Amino acid sequence: MDKLIEAIKATQNPSVVGLDPTDQVVPAALIDSFREEVADQVDDPAEIPAMQRAVAYFEFNRAIIDAIAGIVPAVKPQIAMYEALGPAGVDTYEMTCEYAQSQGLYVLGDVKRGDIGSTAAAYAKHLGGLAANNGEALDLWHEDAVTVNPYLGTDGITPFVDAAQAADKDMFVLVRTSNPSSKEIQELELADGTRLYERVADLVEGWGADTIGASGYSRVGAVVGATHPEQGKQLRERMPHTFFLVPGYGAQGGTAADVAGMFDEQGSGAIVNSSRGIIGAWRKNGGYSDGMSADDMLGLVASSARDAALAMRDDLEAALA
Amino acid sequence: MDKLIEAIKATQNPSVVGLDPTDQVVPAALIDSFREEVADQVDDPAEIPAMQRAVAYFEFNRAIIDAIAGIVPAVKPQIAMYEALGPAGVDTYEMTCEYAQSQGLYVLGDVKRGDIGSTAAAYAKHLGGLAANNGEALDLWHEDAVTVNPYLGTDGITPFVDAAQAADKDMFVLVRTSNPSSKEIQELELADGTRLYERVADLVEGWGADTIGASGYSRVGAVVGATHPEQGKQLRERMPHTFFLVPGYGAQGGTAADVAGMFDEQGSGAIVNSSRGIIGAWRKNGGYSDGMSADDMLGLVASSARDAALAMRDDLEAALA
């Protein structure tokens, strides 16, 4: 986790921007602007809706990446938003990861994969793939970390830990997610009085034990939602070597005060995600009109995202002071 | 689930073939045979290892699909094996699904997705995607069902149920997976004496309640590993409207006797998966040599898979008699 922690120090900003393009945050006129270009390229007109979004979402992401590089240490593309476009969207996901890395950002691939051991080993290639002809591992996805689901247990986790260690990368395991229904399973009380998410937390701390870096944190982080401030504070004590990825700030209701307890005494130990609050900030700026040029729209998206990212940095800084 | 159950009746065979290509089951000489063709097409030589596998895995799958169509009702491509090749592999996954459907097979996409509500809605587009220009939902992935992880709770599940209902498709939620470490979490005893997987089972039965078809089974199935015969038998009673996808037969150790208790009294209620036992059957046939032509190799792969699929059908039939 040392690489991420260094990047946070360099920007003095423990936040990550979720690159989750959807038709709700990408201007409709931007998507439409690629219609003709795409129509000329596809064989089957049925491919147009997915392809024009695949192109528009990448341009949208690139404008945001350019605007926030140097201000935030990391981005977190959510692969679900890209898979929603079919395989063409998955290309955009990979291109987004590669472009973000090229601009110096740490890329946290929010893929929430998880499976039995032999299958998990295939998913772990997200962190370091096939051998090239010179024997070097190829980086097929350009992610610096991925998120992983714990429901399968240790043998579904170990391949990711091994891949992270081999490639100097990281992973974050779901412990206490930000959504309302997560309590149905994650808060279940066990026979010994602990809650399920606490048991998962203990497993996560153990899974990372052999990978603790100079920062004191292991390569196996935890996802802990901003919507559970008290539980997050307790987990911070329970998991002293586990870095937290904290979703749920902003649009989902979590505040800077809610996440403050998830940081350690040095103000490290966590990175807070905001997606819609940053990439959809343009919608609250009032400067948009459907008649704008694609370049003007991207300019508005970018400047709004930059302002929102700076405001989030200041909001977190004040709460952590 | 009625469509799957009809397909099982038509073939008199409650088994599904896992299309999980890896370098362990796809002949090395087949992969090598595409090297020159691929090298001519890519800009960057580093892309060759992934691209030649993407091509070889599809040809491998096609040979198997042609050999087993009409004998088995369904295939289950495991997307992890394709993601291991990067985005090029994801294209092969989608092409495999589409080709299998075109040959009359029910396609169970083993994707094990799961996320918070708004993100789950994006993943649910696996079952029915973007609107085309005529308003019809586009089928971007060509899957008839997907597997889903329950750790996020109801709001991560509902979007899949809605999508399945809208598109006449199905889903299978992980309840008790086949791998050894699954007990660490799934078998945890809760404060009320039930086990976590039993609680998840009750949730799954509830999630499907509004989607029960003419067969008596809902659109929300459960994944129950063949490696847990006693638990599977109990779950069969606990989940009367839930169809089971049973992995773990064959290579993972489950036998036909182990899975018999997961079927209902009419011999329905479950479909049993085998992956390596079918697609890797050629390795036990002794007919392979590195000097074979690609066509001869594919012929050996296909005939071995067909024989293994027939043997599995007979094995299950005898155990269920």
Side-chain angles (χ1 to χ4, degrees):
Chain A
M1 207 63 73
D2 293 355
K3 200 163 53 175
L4 174 59
I5 292 168
E6 281 305 312
I8 292 171
K9 277 188 189 152
T11 51
Q12 290 285 308
N13 184 0
S15 69
V16 48
V17 173
L19 295 177
D20 305 355
T22 63
D23 280 12
Q24 283 72 54
V25 294
V26 179
L30 181 68
I31 296 170
D32 287 344
S33 75
F34 291 104
R35 187 173 164 76
E36 283 185 36
E37 181 187 327
V38 161
D40 288 344
Q41 290 171 6
V42 300
D43 299 327
D44 178 356
E47 295 174 24
I48 294 173
M51 283 299 296
Q52 70 182 126
R53 284 168 177 78
V55 177
Y57 287 9
F58 180 71
E59 294 303 329
F60 179 83
N61 287 343
R62 181 156 63 179
I64 289 170
I65 289 166
D66 288 344
I68 60 174
I71 295 177
V72 302
V75 290
K76 181 176 78 64
Q78 165 54 262
I79 200 170
M81 307 311 180
Y82 304 86
E83 288 186 25
L85 306 182
V90 177
D91 285 331
T92 293
Y93 173 83
E94 180 269 335
M95 286 165 60
T96 297
C97 293
E98 185 169 20
Y99 185 71
Q101 281 192 338
S102 79
Q103 298 308 300
L105 290 157
Y106 179 98
V107 175
L108 213 167
D110 199 354
V111 301
K112 295 193 176 65
R113 300 306 194 239
D115 213 302
I116 66 169
S118 54
T119 307
Y123 275 137
K125 297 216 160 131
H126 272 269
L127 295 179
L130 294 168
N133 296 318
N134 63 6
E136 240 175 71
L138 294 168
D139 193 356
L140 297 164
W141 289 101
H142 306 287
E143 297 149 325
D144 295 292
V146 291
T147 52
V148 178
N149 187 304
Y151 192 69
L152 286 282
T154 299
D155 63 30
I157 296 292
T158 307
F160 288 96
V161 181
D162 293 345
Q165 187 76 321
D168 187 19
K169 295 189 173 182
D170 308 303
M171 59 190 280
F172 291 85
V173 180
L174 304 186
V175 172
R176 189 72 188 87
T177 60
S178 57
N179 59 316
S181 310
S182 61
K183 65 175 181 297
E184 295 169 355
I185 292 178
Q186 296 163 23
E187 282 192 0
L188 286 172
E189 187 184 348
L190 303 181
D192 67 2
T194 58
R195 302 278 171 176
L196 176 62
Y197 75 88
E198 295 173 318
R199 182 63 64 91
V200 174
D202 295 345
L203 285 167
V204 170
E205 180 79 7
W207 289 331
D210 291 338
T211 68
I212 296 172
S215 62
Y217 287 103
S218 82
R219 295 191 185 278
V220 185
V223 176
V224 180
T227 48
H228 311 294
E230 277 309 308
Q231 294 177 0
K233 203 174 162 183
Q234 288 159 14
L235 288 173
R236 179 69 284 151
E237 289 180 21
R238 195 176 188 111
M239 309 173 81
H241 306 99
T242 304
F243 201 85
F244 288 178
L245 167 63
V246 183
Y249 169 95
Q252 288 182 58
T255 66
D258 289 336
V259 304
M262 303 184 197
F263 287 80
D264 65 23
E265 288 172 7
Q266 286 74 46
S268 181
I271 189 164
V272 182
N273 181 73
S274 178
S275 301
R276 284 165 279 177
I278 310 288
I279 70 173
W282 64 272
R283 298 194 302 174
K284 297 187 177 161
N285 265 5
Y288 176 79
S289 73
D290 276 344
M292 290 172 86
S293 72
D295 279 350
D296 286 347
M297 266 183 262
L298 288 170
L300 176 69
V301 164
S303 63
S304 305
R306 186 184 167 92
D307 291 346
L310 287 167
M312 180 176 173
R313 181 193 66 186
D314 295 345
D315 186 34
L316 290 175
E317 192 179 31
L320 293 174
Chain B
M1 208 63 73
D2 293 356
K3 200 163 54 173
L4 175 60
I5 293 168
E6 280 306 313
I8 292 171
K9 277 187 189 151
T11 51
Q12 290 286 304
N13 185 359
S15 69
V16 48
V17 173
L19 295 176
D20 306 355
T22 62
D23 280 14
Q24 282 72 54
V25 293
V26 179
L30 181 67
I31 296 170
D32 287 344
S33 74
F34 291 103
R35 186 174 165 75
E36 283 185 35
E37 182 187 326
V38 161
D40 287 345
Q41 292 171 5
V42 300
D43 298 328
D44 177 356
E47 296 174 23
I48 295 173
M51 282 299 297
Q52 70 181 125
R53 282 169 178 79
V55 177
Y57 287 9
F58 180 72
E59 295 303 329
F60 178 83
N61 288 343
R62 180 155 64 179
I64 289 170
I65 289 166
D66 289 344
I68 61 174
I71 294 177
V72 301
V75 290
K76 183 176 77 63
Q78 166 54 261
I79 200 170
M81 306 312 179
Y82 304 84
E83 287 186 25
L85 306 181
V90 177
D91 285 332
T92 293
Y93 173 83
E94 180 269 335
M95 287 166 59
T96 297
C97 293
E98 185 169 20
Y99 185 72
Q101 281 191 337
S102 78
Q103 299 308 300
L105 290 157
Y106 179 99
V107 175
L108 213 167
D110 199 354
V111 302
K112 295 193 177 65
R113 299 307 194 236
D115 213 302
I116 66 169
S118 54
T119 306
Y123 275 135
K125 297 216 161 133
H126 271 270
L127 296 179
L130 294 170
N133 296 319
N134 62 6
E136 240 175 71
L138 294 168
D139 193 355
L140 297 163
W141 289 100
H142 307 287
E143 296 149 325
D144 295 291
V146 291
T147 52
V148 178
N149 188 304
Y151 191 68
L152 287 283
T154 299
D155 63 29
I157 297 292
T158 307
F160 288 97
V161 181
D162 293 345
Q165 187 76 325
D168 186 21
K169 295 189 173 184
D170 307 302
M171 58 191 281
F172 291 86
V173 181
L174 305 187
V175 172
R176 189 71 189 87
T177 60
S178 57
N179 58 315
S181 311
S182 61
K183 65 176 181 298
E184 295 169 355
I185 291 179
Q186 297 163 23
E187 281 192 2
L188 286 173
E189 188 183 347
L190 303 180
D192 67 2
T194 59
R195 302 280 171 174
L196 176 63
Y197 75 87
E198 295 173 316
R199 181 64 62 90
V200 174
D202 295 344
L203 285 167
V204 170
E205 181 79 7
W207 289 330
D210 292 336
T211 68
I212 296 172
S215 62
Y217 287 102
S218 83
R219 294 192 187 278
V220 185
V223 176
V224 179
T227 47
H228 312 293
E230 277 309 308
Q231 294 176 1
K233 201 173 164 183
Q234 289 158 14
L235 288 172
R236 178 70 284 149
E237 289 181 22
R238 194 176 189 111
M239 311 175 80
H241 306 100
T242 304
F243 202 85
F244 289 177
L245 166 63
V246 183
Y249 170 94
Q252 289 183 56
T255 67
D258 289 335
V259 304
M262 302 184 197
F263 288 80
D264 65 23
E265 288 173 6
Q266 285 73 46
S268 180
I271 189 164
V272 182
N273 180 74
S274 178
S275 301
R276 282 165 281 177
I278 310 289
I279 70 173
W282 65 271
R283 298 193 301 174
K284 296 186 178 163
N285 265 4
Y288 177 78
S289 72
D290 276 343
M292 288 172 88
S293 73
D295 279 350
D296 286 347
M297 267 184 260
L298 288 170
L300 176 69
V301 165
S303 62
S304 305
R306 185 182 169 92
D307 291 346
L310 288 167
M312 180 177 174
R313 181 192 67 185
D314 296 344
D315 186 33
L316 291 175
E317 192 179 34
L320 293 173

